[in-house]
Amino acid sequence: MNKTELIAAIADKAGIAKKDADKALAAFIETVTEELKAGGKVQLVGFGTFEVKERAARTGINPQTKAQIEIPASKAPVFKAGNTFKGEIK
């Protein structure tokens, strides 16, 4: 399912116009992104949690040259599914 299909499905299930569903989805994505940028997390009970995980700096190996390289620390957004959501997927 791509974004257009998701918007159509949301509009159909909620009984709203596709334009309104598009605005709602855009607002959701923007809100989650802003919260994660601010260092917070978004917890949707029964669905899951969006948060930022920190990756420590480490030494890696370039597979072509076999030379060691330093990989800097970074942050990555992650989603952890809730138990109710996991149960529905089984």
Side-chain angles (χ1 to χ4, degrees):
M1 176 179 282
N2 62 29
K3 186 176 178 181
T4 304
E5 293 167 340
L6 178 61
I7 290 169
I10 291 171
D12 185 49
K13 288 193 185 271
I16 58 176
K18 286 183 184 179
K19 184 171 101 175
D20 294 332
D22 184 25
K23 285 182 184 177
L25 180 60
F28 173 77
I29 292 169
E30 183 179 338
T31 303
V32 170
T33 302
E34 287 173 357
E35 183 63 23
L36 295 181
K37 280 183 181 178
K41 67 180 181 179
V42 178
Q43 205 168 12
L44 303 172
V45 176
F47 183 67
T49 304
F50 297 91
E51 60 186 328
V52 176
K53 293 282 185 173
E54 300 217 10
R55 294 180 181 165
R58 62 191 193 280
T59 302
I61 297 175
N62 181 332
Q64 292 179 339
T65 64
K66 307 295 184 212
Q68 287 191 347
I69 56 173
E70 291 299 317
I71 301 169
S74 64
K75 295 180 181 180
V78 295
F79 174 75
K80 181 178 178 188
N83 288 333
T84 304
F85 182 50
K86 285 181 192 175
E88 291 289 323
I89 303 301
K90 288 184 180 179

